[in-house]
Amino acid sequence: MMINEIKRFILKTSILILSLIFILVFLFMFRFISTKSISWKLPSNKNVLFMGASHIQRGIDPKYYPSASNLAAASERYLFTYLKVKKIVKENSQIDTLFLQFAPTDIQKNTDSKYYSKNEMSRFLPLYFPFLSSEDWEIYANNKSDALNLLVQKVFRNIPHNLSDYGRYKPNTGFFERKKEPYIMPKWSESGNAVNYRYLNKIIQICKEKKIKLIFLYMPMYSKELFYDTNYFYNIYKNKYSDILFLDYSDWDCPDNFRNDEHHLNSAGAISFTKKLKSDLANKIQ
Amino acid sequence: MLFNSLDFAVFLPIVFILFWFVTNKNLKLQNFLIVIASYTFYGWWDWRFLSLIVFSTVVDYSIGVLLSKEERVLKRKILLWTSIAVNLGFLGFFKYYNFFLDNFISAFSFFGMEINANSLNIILPVGISFYTFQTLSYTIDVYKRKLEPTKDIVAFSAFVSFFPQLVAGPIERATNLLPQFYKKRQFDYSKAVDGMRQILWGLFKKIVIADNCAQYANEIFNNSADYGGSTLVLGALFFTFQIYGDFSGYSDIAIGTSRLFGFNLMQNFAFPYFSRDIAEFWRRWHISLSTWFRDYLYIPLGGSRGGTSMKIRNTFIIFIVSGFWHGANWTFVIWGALNALYFLPLMLFNTNRNNIGEIAAGRSLPQMKEFFGIITTFTMIVFSWIFFRADNIMHAINYISEIFSLSLFEIPNFSGRRNGVITVFLIILFISIEWIGRNEQFAIASIVKNKKPIIRYVFYFILIFFITWLGGNQQEFIYFQF
């Protein structure tokens, strides 16, 4: 009698759960197909790409650089940039230059931690899961259940419709005020950077293969030495990537009202900096 | 292991099947399975702290056995105080060591004496405040001869570590839960289905209400200096629903899960935000802790017997200790004292039991007087939560002083306001459902009761849809830190 009751309970609960699984699978398929069908085609006059994380996303205004597309996204790690570059160069043969954010946040000893923070996982995994290879999934081998949880939670949300959902210029409207109290250097943990470096190397490789000029770009920021181990950063460049052109504007002398905070430009700063970068490049070419 | 994780979604069916199909013939084996499952559940978080639970279990079991053989009053007292010292010793070390050390150093330096002492990097074991109080209830009840000491260590271990309520309650009394481990459990279909409904409602409260509110409460409290009074009020309201959704949601999942295994846990929340006065609020909020303090602290201190000064003293003690139980911070002490101040007039004028009946009994809306009482009580509670949530007392004072400024009349503005509006609608929906189900064990029980299966299933799917789609970013349960 009791066993029959339990079986009845299990049957009814299973029907409910199976129908839920069915709905979830359907939603994943929908998301998968709709994400896969996004066009990565850029207008034919766009031959320059700006990619990376928030420094570039907030600091390059493509209106003032008509041949460029700013496809950077805040907190983006090189894995996702790599997946984006792969897609873009495949569908846009006109691309000849890639400006890639190269700053201590991308290079420091704990840069991999952002791959595993729930905030970043919940933003990037639902966007990129249809494009991840088995090698890419291995990064999350120790965070499988978190990754799956977040994918299920976000399956309905922010379904990408077009390329701009993967990165676009987002101006900041704030104004930077210098702190009155002294800055305290954050304690950066050493949780690893091997994954990010691996995908940086893959970006370099794909640029070589497609004959795209890769330029590392360090965007303007306020007193970088207050926040980062700059020696470590510059040594990494010197020892590992010195064959790549590196434009270091971190010390660009800009007024405080061009900044949104210590690390990012605001919209006025973005306009001014984009113009400056463009004119510097034109002068160099001449 | 979190209730709102896939790990638990796999763990629960496995334990359920083993419990009813493999170990159902043997009560001891079934209890043993509960112990193993509970240790796995706890060890998933940090296996090292299992040793604390095991030690606490062995100590209290042994003291119970010794108490059963001991008739001499002095010896019995020594045994009782040994249990209290061991349990509160662990709690004191892990939870309060650094707090007391820092305060001693500050106090001595105030008098010009510099002391060098290093704080320890102590991790607070999850749930220590809960299981410590649960085992203490056993020893005290055995000491008072209200309960026969158990000779069955497996049943006792299962009682101490019972996984649904191990890390965040309800804090069960030995008199209620322990005997349930002695008798053969019967599967009750309707109870199990009710349990599943309660789990679903608990997940809704946690994932949809608490996790969404947390995003905005955190944003506003963490950057309170940047916001005006009206936004800060909204921040306090978000936290009010965050803490309720989070904690009562956990309790619902715990009670619902226990029902699947044939256990009955006590109701921990009874729609506290509809309380008509503060005394009623404390009869409806975290009932298992309030009654624990009432039975094991307030009444032994003399309760409401004795003169006025005794009543005032006891009221302050119980509320301040209750505040301090939540954490080693002066903000919790102030929160407790504030609630004592709220409660005191009701007790002194003997009106603390004026509102013991159903709220708006037989009516769909409250009467004017009831409504006024609900709003007043709710406002006082929201105000007290500011101290509970603030990082320190100065933070709370600055927060409150900004509320009482002209900026109170501005339109609230905070980062993510557009999505915040959706959260406000969700809260309104939540309050409405809670109001409809206010006389049940949990809100949705009345909504699905005696309805056609199709209506019930549509309702379940809507809830699941909300949980999946409108859930906030996953947060740990707030009460894990207590």
Side-chain angles (χ1 to χ4, degrees):
Chain A
M1 179 66 183
M2 193 176 84
I3 292 294
N4 287 340
E5 289 271 274
I6 302 172
K7 281 182 180 164
R8 190 173 141 222
F9 173 76
I10 291 176
L11 181 73
K12 289 211 167 184
T13 313
S14 306
I15 290 171
L16 184 74
I17 291 170
L18 284 175
S19 35
L20 277 175
I21 291 172
F22 176 78
I23 293 170
L24 261 181
V25 169
F26 175 78
L27 286 168
F28 267 110
M29 278 170 58
F30 173 76
R31 191 175 180 119
F32 186 89
I33 293 166
S34 94
T35 305
K36 280 276 198 183
S37 61
I38 283 174
S39 165
W40 293 80
K41 196 99 187 116
L42 291 169
S44 56
N45 62 332
K46 304 276 185 188
N47 61 320
V48 178
L49 293 176
F50 282 89
M51 289 206 182
S54 58
H55 299 191
I56 282 191
Q57 186 192 36
R58 313 289 183 171
I60 298 290
D61 186 342
K63 243 194 250 164
Y64 296 87
Y65 201 142
S67 61
S69 288
N70 182 348
L71 296 176
S75 291
E76 187 173 279
R77 301 288 86 184
Y78 286 139
L79 158 64
F80 304 109
T81 311
Y82 163 69
L83 294 171
K84 214 154 47 178
V85 170
K86 218 163 65 165
K87 285 286 200 192
I88 295 272
V89 298
K90 194 176 165 196
E91 292 198 23
N92 298 277
S93 54
Q94 78 276 20
I95 299 296
D96 55 27
T97 311
L98 167 61
F99 286 92
L100 182 67
Q101 178 173 313
F102 188 82
T105 48
D106 309 295
I107 297 303
Q108 68 201 11
K109 296 166 197 168
N110 74 337
T111 190
D112 284 357
S113 61
K114 275 207 174 176
Y115 282 102
Y116 310 113
S117 93
K118 282 191 182 163
N119 206 18
E120 269 76 16
M121 276 166 80
S122 72
R123 276 186 52 210
F124 290 102
L125 283 181
L127 275 178
Y128 286 92
F129 81 92
F131 309 124
L132 294 177
S133 66
S134 54
E135 183 200 345
D136 304 331
W137 276 116
E138 269 173 33
I139 298 169
Y140 297 101
N142 294 329
N143 304 65
K144 271 184 221 140
S145 82
D146 274 348
L148 198 58
N149 255 331
L150 291 168
L151 276 174
V152 170
Q153 265 188 23
K154 302 286 171 182
V155 68
F156 292 109
R157 300 178 107 174
N158 305 330
I159 297 174
H161 301 292
N162 53 48
L163 184 50
S164 70
D165 292 323
Y166 285 86
R168 64 178 183 277
Y169 171 57
K170 271 193 179 174
N172 274 322
T173 51
F175 289 102
F176 168 59
E177 276 179 49
R178 290 179 193 212
K179 271 206 236 171
K180 289 182 185 79
E181 62 272 26
Y183 283 90
I184 299 164
M185 170 80 91
K187 282 180 187 157
W188 299 109
S189 66
E190 299 208 11
S191 50
N193 49 18
V195 175
N196 217 31
Y197 281 27
R198 192 198 322 157
Y199 285 97
L200 174 58
N201 291 333
K202 283 182 185 248
I203 295 171
I204 295 168
Q205 188 58 35
I206 205 168
C207 286
K208 271 186 191 155
E209 281 167 18
K210 300 283 176 185
K211 302 202 172 18
I212 293 168
K213 178 143 189 73
L214 175 64
I215 301 168
F216 285 166
L217 182 58
Y218 190 177
M219 294 290 286
M221 71 168 287
Y222 173 76
S223 298
K224 58 180 181 268
E225 62 286 349
L226 296 174
F227 304 95
Y228 303 110
D229 179 351
T230 49
N231 285 338
Y232 177 82
F233 171 69
Y234 286 110
N235 281 336
I236 290 286
Y237 173 71
K238 212 166 72 185
N239 298 333
K240 291 192 173 190
Y241 303 108
S242 56
D243 55 330
I244 293 174
L245 177 60
F246 178 30
L247 301 181
D248 181 0
Y249 283 95
S250 56
D251 292 325
W252 184 49
D253 188 20
C254 79
D256 285 356
N257 62 1
F258 274 15
R259 300 184 197 275
N260 183 71
D261 53 43
E262 288 86 347
H263 305 268
H264 304 95
L265 297 174
N266 61 19
S267 54
I271 293 170
S272 177
F273 178 71
T274 312
K275 284 179 181 170
K276 157 125 187 100
L277 179 70
K278 199 153 185 295
S279 96
D280 283 358
L281 291 169
N283 290 339
K284 263 187 198 156
I285 291 165
Q286 278 166 13
Chain B
M1 203 180 291
L2 291 173
F3 280 158
N4 52 334
S5 68
L6 281 178
D7 302 339
F8 187 71
V10 174
F11 169 85
L12 183 62
I14 293 173
V15 179
F16 181 86
I17 294 200
L18 290 175
F19 187 86
W20 290 115
F21 289 104
V22 180
T23 60
N24 59 324
K25 297 259 161 52
N26 185 324
L27 184 66
K28 237 186 169 105
L29 199 60
Q30 221 175 29
N31 286 341
F32 187 69
L33 173 72
I34 289 179
V35 176
I36 298 297
S38 300
Y39 286 179
T40 309
F41 178 86
Y42 192 82
W44 213 256
W45 170 70
D46 193 330
W47 58 269
R48 291 170 301 174
F49 291 120
L50 271 177
S51 55
L52 286 181
I53 297 182
V54 174
F55 188 74
S56 205
T57 305
V58 171
V59 167
D60 285 301
Y61 171 79
S62 312
I63 285 177
V65 171
L66 292 172
L67 277 171
S68 69
K69 294 174 188 161
E70 190 56 66
E71 288 302 323
R72 283 163 296 180
V73 177
L74 182 67
K75 281 269 172 82
R76 288 178 66 81
K77 272 195 174 154
I78 291 171
L79 288 169
L80 172 70
W81 282 101
T82 308
S83 164
I84 293 174
V86 168
N87 285 301
L88 294 188
F90 279 145
L91 189 61
F93 175 73
F94 283 101
K95 197 163 176 175
Y96 301 108
Y97 175 84
N98 282 336
F99 173 78
F100 282 117
L101 185 73
D102 294 346
N103 279 282
F104 272 124
I105 293 171
S106 306
F108 276 100
S109 71
F110 182 76
F111 292 108
M113 287 178 272
E114 290 303 324
I115 294 178
N116 284 325
N118 292 327
S119 298
L120 298 178
N121 187 16
I122 299 170
I123 304 168
L124 182 67
V126 165
I128 189 167
S129 311
F130 291 89
Y131 68 76
T132 298
F133 272 41
Q134 188 154 310
T135 51
L136 273 178
S137 87
Y138 168 78
T139 322
I140 298 170
D141 285 347
V142 169
Y143 172 79
K144 288 184 171 174
R145 300 185 201 277
K146 283 185 188 168
L147 181 73
E148 272 298 304
T150 181
K151 304 269 188 314
D152 181 347
I153 189 151
V154 178
F156 185 71
S157 305
F159 156 73
V160 175
S161 64
F162 188 42
F163 73 87
Q165 45 85 247
L166 171 62
V167 290
I171 301 166
E172 275 300 328
R173 300 305 172 70
T175 44
N176 175 43
L177 185 57
L178 190 54
Q180 295 184 50
F181 287 100
Y182 300 153
K183 54 181 187 232
K184 193 167 162 55
R185 263 82 53 170
Q186 287 296 321
F187 183 83
D188 180 332
Y189 178 81
S190 59
K191 212 161 108 176
V193 170
D194 231 26
M196 289 296 283
R197 287 179 191 140
Q198 197 161 0
I199 292 172
L200 190 61
W201 185 236
L203 287 171
F204 177 86
K205 280 175 167 179
K206 165 65 184 156
I207 295 170
V208 180
I209 300 301
D211 287 354
N212 273 307
C213 286
Q215 274 170 262
Y216 306 108
N218 290 344
E219 164 62 28
I220 295 169
F221 270 89
N222 293 345
N223 304 291
S224 55
D226 301 339
Y227 291 119
S230 55
T231 309
L232 296 182
V233 169
L234 203 57
L237 281 168
F238 278 130
F239 182 68
T240 299
F241 286 100
Q242 181 199 349
I243 193 160
Y244 175 55
D246 190 287
F247 194 19
S248 70
Y250 189 95
S251 291
D252 281 333
I253 301 169
I255 296 167
T257 307
S258 305
R259 287 177 157 198
L260 297 181
F261 295 92
F263 289 89
N264 287 316
L265 299 185
M266 68 187 293
Q267 190 181 13
N268 212 16
F269 290 85
F271 312 97
Y273 290 158
F274 299 140
S275 303
R276 290 155 291 187
D277 62 42
I278 211 76
E280 188 181 23
F281 175 81
W282 281 105
R283 284 192 296 272
R284 291 172 175 272
W285 178 272
H286 202 174
I287 300 165
S288 64
L289 182 72
S290 312
T291 51
W292 197 101
F293 277 123
R294 182 196 64 200
D295 295 346
Y296 299 113
L297 184 66
Y298 186 65
I299 292 173
L301 283 171
S304 55
R305 294 186 301 271
T308 309
S309 58
M310 183 76 117
K311 283 181 187 172
I312 294 172
R313 186 201 73 169
N314 291 348
T315 303
F316 269 95
I317 288 176
I318 189 175
F319 275 106
I320 288 173
V321 171
S322 165
F324 202 50
W325 176 90
H326 285 88
N329 194 328
W330 287 107
T331 50
F332 294 118
V333 176
I334 300 286
W335 172 77
L338 189 60
N339 275 284
L341 280 175
Y342 289 163
F343 184 79
L344 216 52
L346 298 176
M347 201 192 57
L348 294 176
F349 292 111
N350 220 9
T351 54
N352 55 325
R353 297 192 69 79
N354 274 6
N355 292 309
I356 48 172
E358 281 178 17
I359 303 161
R363 292 185 308 275
S364 47
L365 290 171
Q367 287 174 329
M368 214 46 213
K369 191 183 158 201
E370 274 183 319
F371 182 71
F372 181 74
I374 292 170
I375 294 295
T376 313
T377 310
F378 182 73
T379 309
M380 290 157 77
I381 294 303
V382 173
F383 183 77
S384 72
W385 286 135
I386 294 172
F387 284 95
F388 195 94
R389 174 60 180 79
D391 299 332
N392 50 55
I393 292 174
M394 273 321 289
H395 183 205
I397 290 170
N398 291 335
Y399 196 101
I400 291 163
S401 42
E402 187 59 39
I403 286 179
F404 292 105
S405 70
L406 282 177
S407 62
L408 180 64
F409 304 102
E410 291 169 359
I411 295 170
N413 191 10
F414 54 95
S415 113
R417 188 172 67 165
R418 231 172 50 183
N419 286 337
V421 173
I422 298 173
T423 304
V424 171
F425 279 115
L426 289 171
I427 292 173
I428 294 168
L429 173 75
F430 171 61
I431 297 170
S432 311
I433 295 175
E434 288 258 300
W435 179 259
I436 293 167
R438 67 191 178 281
N439 294 322
E440 302 288 337
Q441 279 273 320
F442 57 99
I444 61 166
S446 64
I447 292 176
V448 292
K449 203 186 272 173
N450 304 325
K451 298 283 188 310
K452 284 182 181 166
I454 182 79
I455 295 174
R456 287 205 307 267
Y457 275 83
V458 167
F459 185 74
Y460 300 149
F461 275 109
I462 290 173
L463 277 186
I464 292 164
F465 176 79
F466 271 81
I467 290 167
T468 319
W469 191 33
L470 292 176
N473 280 342
Q474 192 186 34
Q475 319 262 336
E476 257 205 357
F477 286 92
I478 296 180
Y479 267 69
F480 279 16
Q481 62 189 288
F482 306 140

